[in-house]
């Protein structure tokens, strides 16, 4: 085995960009997907705060949908959604190809 | 500062933990780290010992951190960051650095209660200006749920398996928050992600205080707790409402309850959804349930006696 000599010029950082895990799409893990019902959304943003995968999209401070590149389908958003008038704004549905 | 703490105001801030991390779906630790980083306004330098959080946020060639972050060995995350903090103070003194920074350790219960305890104790004693966050999921979840000093009494883990010989873990968990407070540090607290404003207020308060700070945050792990993937928040709410996980802070030796559950739920409601406690509901193990409930009640009474309740904050 050839020995590799590490010098200042040959040692390059492996990770050059902060938060580059965004290039790794964890959305493929999902078997359930959240479905957003804007009519029942009270815009409390709890789903945004509780999402472990930063996958709740906001547009102008309002929930606008989900980022399915990363959503792992845990369902915390749907369970915690207080909704409006007894109807939740998020429900979980089976992924078509799951 | 605390008056601006509203989810709507936080929503305009950038998440300093990037998506694409490889934590399990519905992981409590990810929620805890996200909330802590959202609460802090300053630039943050972080350090993590080995653990779930570390292995899932820095899988080779990727990092989920958008802040300077150091992975240290299991036993010395606290001192690693203390070294960084000391360097920062030295540079500041020499006028080579001027801006304000926060130093935060994110460690699991294995790296806090057990393996990292002596270095953490040293850091607390020497008075380094850093915040130590323990995300407590109650076992070595990263390596497959081995019991730790944080595992609650009766829980079944792979090294304390419930069966005919032993009914789960027979020892009582350490009270690490009290152990830290016993170092006479300016701030020690316990928080839960279900009470997010309380959690973030504690983090903001801790960061504003110079010296060593410690916050122990419950971090549900549905793989190790054998519960459902969507219950990280609901189960931590149950932990608070059954008084298993009291929310309090100890500031300069003074204990203050930050949240008193309106109605006291029996401990069973917290244990029932978790498969790791399933065996406690067998008739022959009824004594363990009673024992656990008695312990929770005693600890709660002692806590209430040591600090007046404040119900105004949620």
């Amino acid at each position: 085995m050839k020995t590799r000599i590490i010098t200042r010029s040959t040692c390059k950082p492996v990770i050059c960009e902060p938060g580059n895990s965004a290039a790794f799409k964890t959305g493929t893990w999902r078997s359930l997907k959240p479905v957003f019902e804007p009519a029942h959304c009270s815009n409390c943003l709890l789903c945004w705060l509780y999402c472990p995968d930063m996958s709740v999209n906001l547009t102008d401070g309002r929930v606008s949908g989900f980022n399915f590149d990363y959503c792992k389908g845990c369902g915390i958003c749907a369970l915690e959604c207080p909704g409006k008038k007894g109807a939740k704004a998020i429900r979980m549905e089976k992924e078509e190809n799951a | 500062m605390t008056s601006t703490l509203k989810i709507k105001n936080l929503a305009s801030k950038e998440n300093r933990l990037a998506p694409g991390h490889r934590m399990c779906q519905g992981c409590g630790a990810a929620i805890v780290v996200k909330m802590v980083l959202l609460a802090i306004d300053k630039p943050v330098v972080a350090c993590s010992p080995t653990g779930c959080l570390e292995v899932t946020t820095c899988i080779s060639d990727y990092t989920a951190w958008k802040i300077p972050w150091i992975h240290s060995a299991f036993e010395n995350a606290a001192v690693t960051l203390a070294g960084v903090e000391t360097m920062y103070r030295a540079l500041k003194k020499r006028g080579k650095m001027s801006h304000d920074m926060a130093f935060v350790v994110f460690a699991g219960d294995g790296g806090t209660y057990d393996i990292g305890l002596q270095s953490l104790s040293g850091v607390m004693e020497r008075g380094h200006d850093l915040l130590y966050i323990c995300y407590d999921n109650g076992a070595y979840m990263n390596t497959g749920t081995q019991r730790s000093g944080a595992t609650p009494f009766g829980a079944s883990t792979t090294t304390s398996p419930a069966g005919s010989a032993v009914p789960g873990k027979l020892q009582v968990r350490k009270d690490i928050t009290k152990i830290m407070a016993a170092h006479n540090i300016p701030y020690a607290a316990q928080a839960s992600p279900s009470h997010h404003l309380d959690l973030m207020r504690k983090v903001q308060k801790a960061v504003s205080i110079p010296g060593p700070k410690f916050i122990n945050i419950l971090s549900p792990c549905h793989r190790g707790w054998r519960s459902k993937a969507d219950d990280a928040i609901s189960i931590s709410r149950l932990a608070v409402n059954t008084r298993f996980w009291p929310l309090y802070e100890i500031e300069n030796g003074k204990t203050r309850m930050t949240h008193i559950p309106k109605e006291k739920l029996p401990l069973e409601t917290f244990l029932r959804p978790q498969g790791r406690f399933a065996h406690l509901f067998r008739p022959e193990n009824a004594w363990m349930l009673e024992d656990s409930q008695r312990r929770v009640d005693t600890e709660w009474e002692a806590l209430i006696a040591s600090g007046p309740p404040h119900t105004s904050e949620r």
Side-chain angles (χ1 to χ4, degrees):
Chain A
M1 209 176 121
K2 209 179 156 193
T3 318
R4 221 182 70 185
I5 298 161
I6 297 172
T7 63
R8 196 171 272 253
S9 58
T10 57
C11 177
K12 293 203 175 79
V14 179
I15 302 168
C16 303
E17 191 196 335
N20 72 342
S21 64
F24 190 92
K25 313 282 194 243
T26 52
T28 51
W29 298 10
R30 196 171 55 243
S31 58
L32 294 172
K33 65 172 179 196
V35 179
F36 182 48
E37 206 72 69
H40 300 145
C41 179
S42 64
N43 211 41
C44 63
L45 303 186
L46 281 178
C47 53
W48 171 82
L49 184 68
Y50 289 152
C51 178
D53 293 294
M54 286 52 84
S55 297
V56 176
N57 293 337
L58 300 181
T59 312
D60 299 327
R62 299 188 73 86
V63 178
S64 54
F66 304 98
N67 189 340
F68 289 111
D69 278 351
Y70 308 109
C71 170
K72 293 169 188 162
C74 65
I76 291 179
C77 54
L79 187 73
E80 295 305 319
C81 176
K84 213 156 60 180
K85 292 173 192 157
K88 286 190 183 239
I90 304 171
R91 62 170 197 278
M92 298 305 284
E93 268 179 17
K94 218 169 176 191
E95 275 284 355
E96 282 123 47
N97 53 359
Chain B
M1 190 197 260
T2 46
S3 61
T4 57
L5 197 54
K6 283 183 184 150
I7 306 182
K8 288 196 168 58
N9 298 340
L10 295 172
S12 58
K13 290 176 81 174
E14 189 204 13
N15 272 311
R16 287 188 275 184
L17 185 71
H21 61 70
R22 252 73 65 83
M23 273 174 263
C24 305
Q25 52 162 211
C27 174
I31 307 174
V32 167
V33 173
K34 176 184 173 181
M35 285 183 184
V36 170
L37 289 176
L38 274 173
I40 305 175
D41 290 322
K42 297 177 194 176
V44 176
V45 179
C47 176
S48 294
T50 304
C52 284
L53 181 69
E54 173 266 312
V55 296
T56 53
T57 53
C58 70
I59 289 179
S60 186
D61 292 11
Y62 294 101
T63 178
W65 300 89
K66 293 185 184 173
I67 53 172
W69 174 83
I70 307 164
H71 165 220
S72 193
F74 225 141
E75 66 280 11
N76 57 11
V79 268
T80 302
L81 203 66
V84 178
E85 187 264 342
T86 309
M87 189 67 209
Y88 164 75
R89 268 189 293 125
L91 288 172
K92 223 175 171 183
K93 209 160 131 190
R94 284 185 235 156
K96 290 186 176 168
M97 244 180 167
S98 57
H99 53 275
D100 234 12
M101 256 188 225
F103 298 88
V104 185
V105 180
F106 291 102
D109 53 282
T112 306
Y113 285 66
D114 301 344
I115 307 175
L117 186 59
Q118 61 90 8
S119 79
L120 169 61
S121 177
V123 166
M124 295 285 148
E125 185 264 328
R126 287 189 295 275
H128 288 280
D129 184 15
L130 57 81
L131 168 62
Y132 193 102
I133 302 274
C134 170
Y135 68 94
D136 183 347
N137 51 26
Y140 291 85
M141 299 307 184
N142 168 34
T143 44
T145 325
Q146 287 82 14
R147 82 186 271 295
S148 80
T151 308
F153 173 76
S156 177
T157 69
T158 49
T159 45
S160 64
S164 50
V166 259
K169 187 184 167 185
L170 287 170
Q171 298 80 17
V172 180
R173 60 191 286 274
K174 293 182 196 175
D175 194 341
I176 195 81
T177 316
K178 294 275 174 59
I179 295 173
M180 286 302 118
H183 287 71
N184 292 320
I185 54 173
Y187 192 79
Q190 211 161 262
S192 156
S194 58
H195 295 67
H196 49 271
L197 289 181
D198 175 81
L199 184 154
M200 291 193 279
R201 246 183 231 127
K202 282 172 180 161
V203 171
Q204 288 196 339
K205 192 172 190 177
V207 167
S208 71
I209 300 171
K213 288 86 57 175
F214 178 86
I215 305 182
N216 196 12
I217 306 179
L218 187 68
S219 167
C221 166
H222 68 86
R223 298 303 305 128
W225 294 14
R226 299 280 154 207
S227 56
K228 284 192 288 196
D230 60 356
D231 63 8
I233 300 296
S234 61
I235 220 159
S236 49
R237 191 177 294 121
L238 281 174
V240 173
N241 289 341
T242 54
R243 301 178 175 182
F244 171 83
W245 194 264
L247 302 181
Y248 65 95
E249 57 185 15
I250 304 175
E251 206 180 341
N252 296 317
K254 261 197 186 154
T255 308
R256 194 176 76 96
M257 306 298 295
T258 55
H259 175 71
I260 306 274
K262 277 198 187 95
E263 158 192 33
K264 182 200 165 189
L265 296 174
L267 186 63
E268 276 179 51
T269 50
F270 169 61
L271 305 182
R272 183 83 67 176
Q274 302 179 51
R276 62 174 177 160
F277 293 116
H279 58 286
L280 299 191
F281 295 94
R282 281 190 222 132
E284 68 268 27
N285 291 330
W287 66 274
M288 295 180 83
L289 265 186
E290 284 165 30
D291 218 46
S292 304
Q293 180 68 64
R294 203 175 314 120
R295 197 167 297 113
V296 164
D297 290 344
T298 321
E299 278 168 19
W300 178 267
E301 293 305 326
L303 205 56
I304 286 282
S306 64
H310 284 242
T311 42
S312 56
E313 280 186 38
R314 206 191 94 94

